[in-house]
Amino acid sequence: MSARSWKFGLSITVAALWCLAAQAQEVAEYKVVNGGIPTPLTGERGSPQRGKAVAVNSHQGNCIICHHIPIHEVPSGAFGNLGPSLAGVAARLTEPELRLRIVDFKALHPETIMPAYHRVTDLRQVHSTYRGKPILSAREVEDLVAFLLTLKEPAK
Amino acid sequence: VTVPTDRSMPKRRGAKHAGWNAAALIGVLLGLPPGASPVRSQPDDLSAYISGDRRSGYTFLTPETRALQNDEFGNPGMLWVEHGSELWNASVGPEGRSCATCHEQAKLSMRGVAARYPAYDEGSRRVINLEQRINLCRAERQGLEPFAYESRELLGITAFVANQSRGMPVAVSTGGAAAASFGRGRDLFYTRIGQLDLGCSNCHEDHVGSRLRGEPISQGQINGFPVYRQLWQTLGSAHRMFAWCNEAVRAEPFALGSQDYVDLELFAKSRANGLPIETPGVRR
């Protein structure tokens, strides 16, 4: 094997390992305790302000496609009603419970229509654009949890 | 001056234009608001679009969109039907045969055909859909290359043929030689796929009538296809709709015209057995 092809082979291997490492980082490790995930996926709490954007943006959480959420900037006709209203959700669920419901609600209810927003296993025929990637990053999950925790008032 | 148009959209014929304008003029004379025609102001009876617990996508539309479908001159899908009518009568290929050479008057010979497709084809030894039946005829009887899937030509001739069955109840066979295809299609309908991990049934069976953002979820009936979809600004096949939905759940779509989609089309069409053929339907 020539020095040149040896070097080429090595660089391919390094690139492959780097890709694997990058993919592994896409999904945070977490522990489920009593129907919740007690520790933030990123090790720190998120931003409610960014979390509101995650809830609304169709390329992020897109929560409003199925849920009503008290967000004044969004016209009332723009919410879906497949899932329950999230008004007052912080009074009904704890922070760890909210986190697990976003990360992988199917761990609690396997038949639910709600996607697992931070899981890449047990999926099939995923579009090449999204293969190996969770719907929401660990940081986006934490931002969303932080936002949902502000929704303490029940629906009027 | 160049006018940007969808390349797949056939040109409007002058006569139809005049017809539409005449309808609008009558509307003005009757004191109807601009854009309304006498046809559109008629009350809408939905009972023809419901069979037992089966409801055409038509019943989930706004009254305005339903009126557009009903209006022979305003329905944009009729442009493709017209184009298909021209193709039906065009003598082509080495022997100069048109569809009409063998099938004569489509309104007689093609009536009811679309209601039975997809169907098992002995020669192909598999279930084929209407588009593929037309392309087989084109290859075997006219000696020509098949039309590309989703081309203006294939959409046009398919819409024209299906339009001859308008109002007739869908009646596809799911047993016998079609049973294997039907079973595969049913599996596809109930299999969750994509990053969002959703099967057709999760929305179109379990959550019919609920709203996604502002839009109601239909039963996913395909009795109106090919349909003019307002989002696309063009006519589209059932396979294009399947691919669109697959991509919406972030799944890798199958190829248009693939056996996977033909199988799914057979299962989906069987769910519409009893509902009327509406081609060209108009959908959001």
Side-chain angles (χ1 to χ4, degrees):
Chain A
M1 191 188 268
S2 72
R4 193 178 165 163
S5 69
W6 185 84
K7 261 190 194 165
F8 180 71
L10 182 69
S11 62
I12 292 285
T13 312
V14 168
L17 284 174
W18 186 84
C19 281
L20 276 176
Q23 193 164 319
Q25 282 170 5
E26 301 263 13
V27 180
E29 283 181 30
Y30 60 87
K31 222 180 229 171
V32 177
V33 181
N34 296 330
I37 302 173
T39 318
L41 302 181
T42 53
E44 57 185 13
R45 298 220 148 61
S47 139
Q49 207 50 43
R50 283 199 309 260
K52 189 197 271 193
V54 171
V56 173
N57 288 340
S58 56
H59 61 277
Q60 289 184 296
N62 200 18
C63 308
I64 65 171
I65 194 172
C66 291
H67 298 278
H68 183 269
I69 307 178
I71 300 176
H72 302 302
E73 297 91 324
V74 180
S76 60
F79 296 100
N81 64 357
L82 226 90
S85 167
L86 299 181
V89 73
R92 303 194 296 272
L93 297 168
T94 64
E95 179 187 320
E97 286 169 341
L98 281 172
R99 190 173 287 113
L100 178 59
R101 277 161 172 75
I102 298 165
V103 166
D104 186 7
F105 191 40
K106 284 168 192 167
L108 301 170
H109 295 281
E111 296 306 313
T112 183
I113 191 170
M114 182 167 156
Y117 284 86
H118 196 68
R119 166 158 74 74
V120 295
T121 53
D122 294 324
L123 301 173
R124 46 194 300 166
Q125 215 179 314
V126 175
H127 197 283
S128 55
T129 313
Y130 303 100
R131 217 164 288 158
K133 295 173 183 153
I135 303 169
L136 293 179
S137 68
R139 185 174 118 157
E140 287 170 326
V141 170
E142 289 311 319
D143 290 342
L144 190 54
V145 169
F147 168 64
L148 294 178
L149 284 171
T150 68
L151 304 177
K152 298 190 177 98
E153 289 283 310
K156 283 166 210 154
Chain B
V1 179
T2 53
V3 180
T5 53
D6 190 311
R7 277 193 301 159
S8 67
M9 185 154 157
K11 290 198 164 56
R12 268 185 187 276
R13 281 219 308 240
K16 289 291 177 190
H17 233 354
W20 192 89
N21 286 336
L25 183 63
I26 293 165
V28 169
L29 294 174
L30 292 175
L32 295 169
S37 73
V39 176
R40 292 176 191 202
S41 64
Q42 281 169 4
D44 217 3
D45 181 11
L46 296 183
S47 63
Y49 300 88
I50 297 170
S51 173
D53 53 8
R54 298 172 173 197
R55 288 179 54 188
S56 165
Y58 182 90
T59 66
F60 293 87
L61 299 173
T62 62
E64 291 74 24
T65 311
R66 291 202 296 265
L68 188 59
Q69 175 173 315
N70 296 349
D71 184 345
E72 196 189 333
F73 302 113
N75 182 334
M78 289 307 290
L79 297 168
W80 279 263
V81 172
E82 269 183 62
H83 179 53
S85 162
E86 288 160 11
L87 292 172
W88 178 269
N89 291 304
S91 298
V92 287
E95 292 176 45
R97 280 183 179 164
S98 69
C99 305
T101 307
C102 297
H103 298 289
E104 300 178 359
Q105 283 194 66
K107 83 166 80 165
L108 302 175
S109 62
M110 292 296 115
R111 187 139 177 83
V113 172
R116 297 194 297 270
Y117 272 81
Y120 185 79
D121 177 59
E122 280 293 342
S124 315
R125 311 193 73 169
R126 61 187 184 88
V127 167
I128 61 172
N129 67 8
L130 189 57
E131 285 88 340
Q132 292 167 333
R133 175 67 265 171
I134 290 167
N135 263 338
L136 273 179
C137 227
R138 190 169 153 80
E140 291 170 3
R141 310 280 174 223
Q142 294 178 307
L144 290 166
E145 287 290 306
F147 290 128
Y149 217 92
E150 220 60 23
S151 62
R152 171 178 177 255
E153 290 80 11
L154 191 57
L155 286 170
I157 189 75
T158 304
F160 173 72
V161 170
N163 184 245
Q164 310 308 315
S165 302
R166 204 171 189 191
M168 293 181 73
V170 173
V172 293
S173 299
T174 57
S181 170
F182 174 78
R184 289 194 302 269
R186 185 184 50 208
D187 289 346
L188 287 172
F189 190 85
Y190 289 103
T191 302
R192 288 178 182 250
I193 57 170
Q195 193 194 37
L196 303 194
D197 199 24
L198 294 169
C200 312
S201 61
N202 291 115
C203 285
H204 296 295
E205 223 170 68
D206 301 343
H207 290 281
V208 173
S210 292
R211 279 181 288 109
L212 283 180
R213 289 203 183 237
E215 299 294 340
I217 299 174
S218 76
Q219 293 181 345
Q221 301 289 6
I222 59 169
N223 51 308
F225 278 83
V227 299
Y228 182 86
R229 195 161 183 228
Q230 292 167 320
L231 181 71
W232 296 334
Q233 297 280 298
T234 182
L235 205 75
S237 68
H239 290 197
R240 181 173 176 181
M241 191 66 225
F242 296 156
W244 188 90
C245 260
N246 286 166
E247 289 184 0
V249 301
R250 299 183 175 179
E252 202 63 58
F254 296 105
L256 307 187
S258 64
Q259 193 61 41
D260 301 279
Y261 276 164
V262 172
D263 296 340
L264 181 58
E265 185 181 351
L266 175 61
F267 178 74
K269 192 90 171 263
S270 77
R271 297 171 74 240
N273 273 351
L275 292 176
I277 294 283
E278 292 172 29
T279 314
V282 177
R283 296 293 182 266
R284 175 179 64 79

